[in-house]
Amino acid sequence: MEDNSKQLGIRRGTRDFPPAHFLFKVEAFSLLVKTGVEKYESDVFEASGRKWKLSLYPNGDNKSNGSGFISLYLAIEETENLPLTWEVNVSFKLFVFDQIRDKYLTIEDADGAVKRFHWMKTEWGFAKLISIESFSDTSNGYLVGDCCIFGAEVFVMERNCKWECLSMVKQHDDNSIIFKMEDFSKLDKKYYESSVHTIGGSKWKLTVYPKGNVKFKGKALSVFLELVEADKLPPKRKVYAEYKLRVRNQISDNHMEFSVERWFSATSVNWGYPQFMLLKVLHDPSKGYIHHDSLIVEAEITLVSKVKRSP
């Protein structure tokens, strides 16, 4: 095993099972070296829907400072009919078989980087796969009976990545729901809903209980902001909103107002105040909240989260 892997930017390991895609056996390796051949190319093999070959430099790839090492590269084949802008992104490992221990030495980039094959770069690999000294030491099991076995495992990273973008968008224009409730004293339903408004790409409405809701029934005005169609959100999806709920004072600027920060979801479709203001305060003519028998309830939405996703 090499002891300088980190310096070379290589990660080496061992495993029991062979490479998934290709094995390349060389018999009489010493005779191959003596021929003086710079590079020997294997036959083409198929992996992950593409054609590949291995390029072996038995004396090292001197042009890439591989002197004193075995050099081995993975090259893509049959690209002639592909467009000029073609590219194939690949995660791969190369192998040397330890014939004594029945294990495979695995070699890959130290950072596990995906390699981009394209028309200007059709091969990737390792100029310093393994030192010739270590490779030739019979006790290491890589060269036994003048025979050695290399291998490759190739996985193409298809470009079908889905993406999602979450934005927090401040709302400046058309960001208010104004719900004017006429003939307020004659309203007899449990609750009333405003029209639906689209703000920040989401649909919203106000729900008002004139005589209160649940335990505050008969005691307080209840006001809620609802995310319309929240039940149709994807699982776990949430929509964040910052907003103000307001009952407008129609004779002065002394409005009743509360600020809210809330995540809405399919299980939390509305949020507000069941005890927004006491009914005795609401109905006090001197307070100015009910004027000419009308009540104006508002929601001013100042920030909404928005999610964009790939198709």
Side-chain angles (χ1 to χ4, degrees):
M1 185 71 65
E2 303 293 298
D3 59 4
N4 59 346
S5 298
K6 187 174 181 180
Q7 291 83 349
L8 297 175
I10 295 174
R11 180 166 60 201
R12 293 186 170 91
T14 59
R15 77 184 202 192
D16 295 328
F17 55 97
H21 298 123
F22 189 60
L23 284 173
F24 172 37
K25 185 177 182 180
V26 180
E27 295 180 339
F29 183 81
S30 61
L31 296 181
L32 175 65
V33 172
K34 287 181 181 179
T35 66
V37 65
E38 178 185 10
K39 175 176 68 172
Y40 180 86
E41 297 176 340
S42 74
D43 281 343
V44 173
F45 65 95
E46 186 171 346
S48 298
R50 299 284 181 175
K51 300 294 181 63
W52 311 89
K53 68 180 179 184
L54 290 180
S55 296
L56 172 67
Y57 292 75
N59 291 296
D61 181 6
N62 295 324
K63 294 178 182 178
S64 298
N65 299 317
S67 179
F69 288 81
I70 301 292
S71 303
L72 187 63
Y73 299 92
L74 174 70
I76 191 168
E77 286 288 291
E78 298 185 10
T79 61
E80 299 83 3
N81 297 324
L82 296 177
L84 184 63
T85 56
W86 72 268
E87 65 175 60
V88 179
N89 298 298
V90 176
S91 174
F92 71 93
K93 292 180 181 179
L94 299 181
F95 297 78
V96 185
F97 183 44
D98 179 348
Q99 302 171 66
I100 295 175
R101 299 163 189 83
D102 191 24
K103 291 184 179 294
Y104 289 86
L105 171 66
T106 65
I107 304 98
E108 59 185 319
D109 275 334
D111 58 2
V114 173
K115 296 302 184 183
R116 177 173 166 257
F117 288 76
H118 54 95
W119 70 277
M120 294 181 64
K121 181 69 173 177
T122 59
E123 73 172 23
W124 288 93
F126 306 99
K128 298 180 179 181
L129 184 86
I130 185 172
S131 71
I132 292 176
E133 180 182 1
S134 178
F135 178 78
S136 302
D137 186 340
T138 305
S139 66
N140 287 329
Y142 305 128
L143 186 63
V144 176
D146 208 18
C147 171
C148 56
I149 300 174
F150 301 97
E153 199 167 75
V154 187
F155 296 99
V156 172
M157 314 299 286
E158 298 293 345
R159 299 182 66 180
N160 58 358
C161 177
K162 300 294 183 180
W163 58 265
E164 178 177 309
C165 177
L166 171 65
S167 303
M168 296 292 186
V169 184
K170 290 185 177 180
Q171 307 299 312
H172 300 289
D173 301 318
D174 300 321
N175 65 334
S176 295
I177 301 173
I178 300 175
F179 186 21
K180 187 173 184 179
M181 306 175 72
E182 304 278 4
D183 298 322
F184 190 75
S185 63
K186 299 177 182 179
L187 300 180
D188 56 1
K189 292 182 181 179
K190 181 179 179 181
Y191 64 89
Y192 293 82
E193 297 177 336
S194 72
S195 58
V196 175
H197 293 247
T198 299
I199 300 172
S202 296
K203 296 179 180 180
W204 308 91
K205 68 180 178 181
L206 279 168
T207 302
V208 179
Y209 293 76
K211 296 180 174 62
N213 185 32
V214 196
K215 66 179 181 179
F216 294 103
K217 187 174 182 179
K219 299 179 180 179
L221 179 77
S222 302
V223 180
F224 302 90
L225 178 68
E226 179 176 332
L227 176 62
V228 180
E229 299 180 343
D231 57 335
K232 297 181 181 180
L233 289 172
K236 307 299 183 180
R237 173 71 63 80
K238 294 182 178 182
V239 176
Y240 178 78
E242 292 182 4
Y243 57 98
K244 294 178 181 179
L245 293 176
R246 179 185 305 120
V247 170
R248 184 184 295 177
N249 190 313
Q250 300 180 64
I251 61 175
S252 73
D253 293 329
N254 188 27
H255 309 305
M256 180 66 74
E257 180 179 282
F258 294 96
S259 296
V260 186
E261 300 174 359
R262 183 69 180 176
W263 285 97
F264 293 80
S265 67
T267 57
S268 182
V269 301
N270 58 37
W271 188 257
Y273 292 90
Q275 190 181 8
F276 190 87
M277 63 188 305
L278 295 176
L279 292 180
K280 64 180 181 180
V281 175
L282 175 67
H283 290 279
D284 186 339
S286 66
K287 301 297 183 182
Y289 298 115
I290 298 175
H291 189 61
H292 296 311
D293 203 22
S294 69
L295 179 74
I296 300 175
V297 182
E298 300 176 348
E300 181 184 350
I301 302 174
T302 55
L303 187 147
V304 178
S305 68
K306 189 173 183 179
V307 173
K308 293 181 180 179
R309 296 187 299 166
S310 58

